[in-house]
Amino acid sequence: MDFKNFKIPFSINPQYSTKVAYFSMEFAIEQVLKIYSGGLGFLAGSHMRSAYNLKQDLIGIGILWKFGYYDQARNHDQTLQPVWTKKMYSFLEDTGIKFQIEIHSAPVWVKVWYLDPEIFNTAPMFFLSTDVPENDHISKTICHRLYDANESTKLAQYILLGKGGARLLDEMNIERDTYHLNEAHGLPAAFHLLKKYNGDLNKVREKLVFTTHTPEEAGNEKHNLKLCYDMSYFSGFSMEEVKCIEGADDDRFNHSLCALKMAKIANGVSKLHGTVSRAMWNKYPGICEIKSITNAQEFKYWADKRLYNAKDENDETVFDYRKKHLKRRLFKIVADQTGNLFNPNIFTIVWARRFAGYKRADMLLHDKERFYRLLNHPQYPVQIIWAGKPYPMDYSAISTFNTLVEESKNHKNMAVLTGYELSLSKSLKQGSDLWLNNPRVPREASGTSGMTAAMNGSVNLSTDDGWIPEFAKHGENSFVVPKVDYLNMSIYEQDNYDLNALYEILENEILPTYYDNINKWRKIQYNSMNDVKDQFNSDRMADEYYKELYTYSGIEL
């Protein structure tokens, strides 16, 4: 293939002829391609698959992480051990393209790899690497670890994604109408464009759209402006010129704020998150409009087809048998990792996602007495599984993970699994009866894991955050902690209220329904599977991005 004059290798649907480049730090495409950490990657991966389904004129640009995020192993006492192993991918094609970009006032070589759409049924994708013989050791390490903890390395990664990705498009003579930044990591692409257009910010705005995933200002990254400048983040523009665009009055550079100033349009990733984002950012003059396009996951990839077939044919026997079969498959993993033998006839709860403080992984354990009562209920037995990857340097989250591991040693019906990636995620969703989601409201921007759980007959029990308000009908397709005035509560009060409500719903509604009224439980599963199938399928999301963001022209330039 001639990558210097690259053409999309399939016929484009005329509805989606706007030419888009999609920049993301991570993509969860397939288990074998370990270039993702969590929700942002799962979302981006589903987006790339849906772009292929709909035959959109879109290409994905990411980074080829040499060691991935990390491999989640165990120490001798079962506690968490991060391991970094070099990854090999024979299915990626060497484009033969190499070019230099400036990072920290020095030239750095970038090599480009290609993922053909037919391999995993995705949009065409290009991955950037600095791990080439021409670079010195420091430059090689830029693409080693996803979300490296070192601040300078992290900024260099953003420059590689943004400036490197934009430069790649120039090298390949690919003209794109829209540059879509999935989070602000790729923002250096905007400064590359600004330089290309001789400082004409309006021309940049015509091309740039931005998706924000972070529902609180403190969570949006800020770095020392001088450090960003010294790292060559701004493609030669002075700190004064950058501050004039970004507009905050301190010596730190706010990546998301600057993206909102340079984009023509942005979006939050659920209706609630859009509302939260507008309230959060509207105090700054000159930001673009923030819409809502709710995240979704690709139905074809995630949903268990046989379960849906049994539901559609209303064959209760086959449906129940299939669900038990999926549970047995998951329980082989549980047995292999922990030595616990779980029973497919017992109600199984799963909490699985990235370990972060606000997601409150260990919430059920905050009331130990009630937790033990739940685990040892004589009438309504339960099994509980936890899984998820903390950031390798987030010692608080790692401590939570390890505390759960230690507690699990006391219970034959409690397990903590390692290796939470696409494959284990799918097994957990297929093999669980209840998907537990208890973030502190309103900290969860979207939270897509419950969507893919619902696609596999796993019923959501959640606090009323992220995508849940758009989906949940309590007692009909899911179970939801009633929202209260959290803003006037302390964190301690909020946690106590949510904890008590979760236990009340579990003890008084969910478990009696599952064990005493299986027909009602199955109806809730059916409703959940029906309600998630279209509205939270990423084909809908990819369509909305084209209609509401990529072809947007409602701003006066």
Side-chain angles (χ1 to χ4, degrees):
M1 184 181 287
D2 178 13
F3 288 101
K4 286 289 186 179
N5 292 285
F6 179 78
K7 300 280 188 294
I8 302 271
F10 49 73
S11 298
I12 301 298
N13 182 331
Q15 276 186 275
Y16 307 113
S17 58
T18 299
K19 301 175 187 305
V20 180
Y22 180 101
F23 294 73
S24 184
M25 280 284 273
E26 47 172 312
F27 291 92
I29 298 292
E30 190 53 71
Q31 172 69 22
V32 64
L33 185 57
K34 297 172 185 286
I35 54 168
Y36 58 90
S37 77
L40 188 77
F42 278 51
L43 176 274
S46 278
H47 197 149
M48 294 304 102
R49 285 192 288 269
S50 286
Y52 176 84
N53 295 343
L54 301 177
K55 297 297 180 273
Q56 296 179 335
D57 195 343
L58 181 148
I59 62 172
I61 296 175
I63 294 175
L64 187 61
W65 301 106
K66 183 175 183 178
F67 298 103
Y69 182 42
Y70 71 91
D71 296 311
Q72 196 179 21
R74 296 184 192 265
N75 296 307
H76 66 279
D77 63 352
Q78 297 275 317
T79 53
L80 177 66
Q81 181 187 19
V83 174
W84 283 272
T85 310
K86 181 181 173 183
K87 304 294 185 282
M88 312 286 283
Y89 305 116
S90 61
F91 52 84
L92 293 180
E93 187 177 342
D94 184 349
T95 62
I97 295 174
K98 274 188 187 175
F99 54 84
Q100 288 180 313
I101 59 171
E102 188 179 45
I103 301 179
H104 210 280
S105 303
V108 173
W109 281 98
V110 178
K111 182 178 172 66
V112 185
W113 298 86
Y114 174 63
L115 178 66
D116 187 275
E118 297 305 316
I119 294 177
F120 298 127
N121 293 341
T122 63
M125 302 190 68
F126 294 91
F127 299 110
L128 311 172
S129 173
T130 58
D131 193 357
V132 293
E134 294 91 333
N135 283 333
D136 61 25
H137 175 70
I138 294 293
S139 298
K140 286 177 182 175
T141 65
I142 293 169
C143 68
H144 279 190
R145 298 180 184 184
L146 173 58
Y147 302 129
D148 196 293
N150 181 281
E151 187 177 15
S152 295
T153 308
K154 193 183 287 186
L155 285 169
Q157 294 176 342
Y158 300 168
I159 295 164
L160 173 61
L161 176 65
K163 190 192 295 187
R167 176 69 189 281
L168 168 65
L169 297 172
D170 295 343
E171 287 285 320
M172 294 198 300
N173 299 307
I174 297 182
E175 189 54 43
R176 296 281 96 180
D177 305 313
T178 299
Y179 286 51
H180 179 179
L181 306 183
N182 187 36
E183 266 301 354
H185 306 123
L187 185 61
F191 288 99
H192 176 88
L193 287 175
L194 194 63
K195 183 179 181 183
K196 190 174 168 179
Y197 298 141
N198 300 313
D200 188 340
L201 187 55
N202 282 339
K203 279 199 166 179
V204 177
R205 281 201 188 106
E206 284 173 19
K207 281 192 180 287
L208 200 68
V209 302
F210 170 51
T211 298
T212 172
H213 295 258
T214 312
E216 56 178 29
E217 197 169 341
N220 287 272
E221 284 197 63
K222 298 176 185 175
H223 293 100
N224 181 279
L225 179 67
K226 177 75 162 62
L227 175 63
C228 294
Y229 176 79
D230 290 343
M231 292 294 298
S232 311
Y233 187 104
F234 304 118
S235 288
F237 289 94
S238 69
M239 289 190 284
E240 291 74 22
E241 288 170 311
V242 170
K243 266 299 170 189
C244 191
I245 297 170
E246 181 242 24
D249 55 358
D250 62 17
D251 60 358
R252 292 182 303 165
F253 176 68
N254 186 325
H255 301 261
S256 296
L257 176 60
C258 193
L260 289 166
K261 296 284 187 80
M262 297 181 83
K264 66 175 176 180
I265 182 89
N267 73 292
V269 289
S270 67
K271 285 180 182 172
L272 177 60
H273 179 232
T275 303
V276 168
S277 296
R278 287 186 287 274
M280 183 167 81
W281 293 112
N282 276 347
K283 64 186 177 193
Y284 294 98
I287 67 161
C288 64
E289 181 187 344
I290 303 173
K291 288 178 173 277
S292 295
I293 297 177
T294 300
N295 279 349
Q297 294 288 297
E298 198 215 7
F299 179 80
K300 243 178 12 183
Y301 180 88
W302 286 101
D304 185 72
K305 310 302 180 294
R306 293 187 192 175
L307 208 57
Y308 267 90
N309 288 342
K311 171 191 68 68
D312 292 342
E313 291 161 15
N314 203 25
D315 192 327
E316 296 168 356
T317 305
V318 172
F319 184 88
D320 293 349
Y321 178 85
R322 179 63 182 170
K323 188 64 188 177
K324 281 197 170 63
H325 171 74
L326 295 171
K327 289 173 82 170
R328 284 190 189 93
R329 278 204 321 212
L330 169 62
F331 296 166
K332 284 181 180 176
I333 300 171
V334 173
D336 185 45
Q337 284 203 25
T338 69
N340 290 349
L341 297 180
F342 278 18
N343 183 339
N345 296 312
I346 290 179
F347 185 75
T348 303
I349 303 168
V350 168
W351 188 103
R353 56 190 47 78
R354 183 169 65 86
F355 270 64
Y358 76 90
K359 293 179 187 278
R360 303 185 293 191
D362 59 346
M363 187 161 198
L364 288 181
L365 277 72
H366 289 188
D367 186 336
K368 280 283 184 68
E369 190 181 320
R370 210 162 178 181
F371 181 64
Y372 293 154
R373 225 166 44 230
L374 180 71
L375 283 184
N376 298 294
H377 200 292
Q379 189 180 358
Y380 302 135
V382 300
Q383 298 163 152
I384 306 187
I385 303 169
W386 274 267
K389 280 187 176 183
Y391 284 131
M393 301 299 171
D394 184 349
Y395 298 111
S396 172
I398 290 169
S399 173
T400 301
F401 185 93
N402 289 339
T403 299
L404 287 165
V405 169
E406 290 303 320
E407 184 62 55
S408 71
K409 294 173 183 176
N410 304 320
H411 310 281
K412 63 183 180 182
N413 54 342
M414 174 182 173
V416 181
L417 303 183
T418 54
Y420 188 65
E421 295 172 358
L422 280 168
S423 179
L424 180 59
S425 177
K426 190 181 274 193
S427 296
L428 286 162
K429 286 152 183 175
Q430 292 178 338
S432 56
D433 295 303
L434 190 77
W435 195 259
L436 179 61
N437 178 50
N438 45 249
R440 201 175 278 128
V441 179
R443 298 284 306 277
E444 190 67 87
S446 182
T448 54
S449 67
M451 299 173 187
T452 45
M455 290 173 187
N456 290 283
S458 180
V459 175
N460 278 271
L461 168 58
S462 181
T463 49
D464 201 13
D465 205 7
W467 74 290
I468 289 291
E470 297 169 54
F471 166 77
K473 297 189 274 289
H474 182 87
E476 293 179 40
N477 68 1
S478 53
F479 295 88
V480 188
V481 171
K483 199 176 274 182
V484 289
D485 185 7
Y486 289 120
L487 290 176
N488 291 310
M489 284 178 153
S490 67
I491 284 177
Y492 175 77
E493 289 169 329
Q494 183 174 355
D495 286 359
N496 271 351
Y497 167 79
D498 288 344
L499 176 65
N500 186 60
L502 283 171
Y503 271 116
E504 290 286 326
I505 294 167
L506 259 174
E507 293 164 348
N508 301 328
E509 297 183 60
I510 293 173
L511 288 169
T513 304
Y514 180 84
Y515 282 107
D516 299 338
N517 193 346
I518 192 63
N519 290 332
K520 184 180 176 186
W521 180 261
R522 196 186 301 107
K523 180 64 176 159
I524 294 169
Q525 289 178 292
Y526 283 7
N527 289 340
S528 177
M529 292 168 72
N530 288 334
D531 293 347
V532 82
K533 184 175 187 285
D534 295 319
Q535 190 53 29
F536 299 98
N537 177 4
S538 53
D539 286 7
R540 182 272 309 158
M541 177 188 77
D543 174 70
E544 282 187 17
Y545 270 107
Y546 259 84
K547 289 175 178 170
E548 297 193 28
L549 252 64
Y550 302 160
T551 55
Y552 178 82
S553 59
I555 190 166
E556 287 186 20
L557 298 171

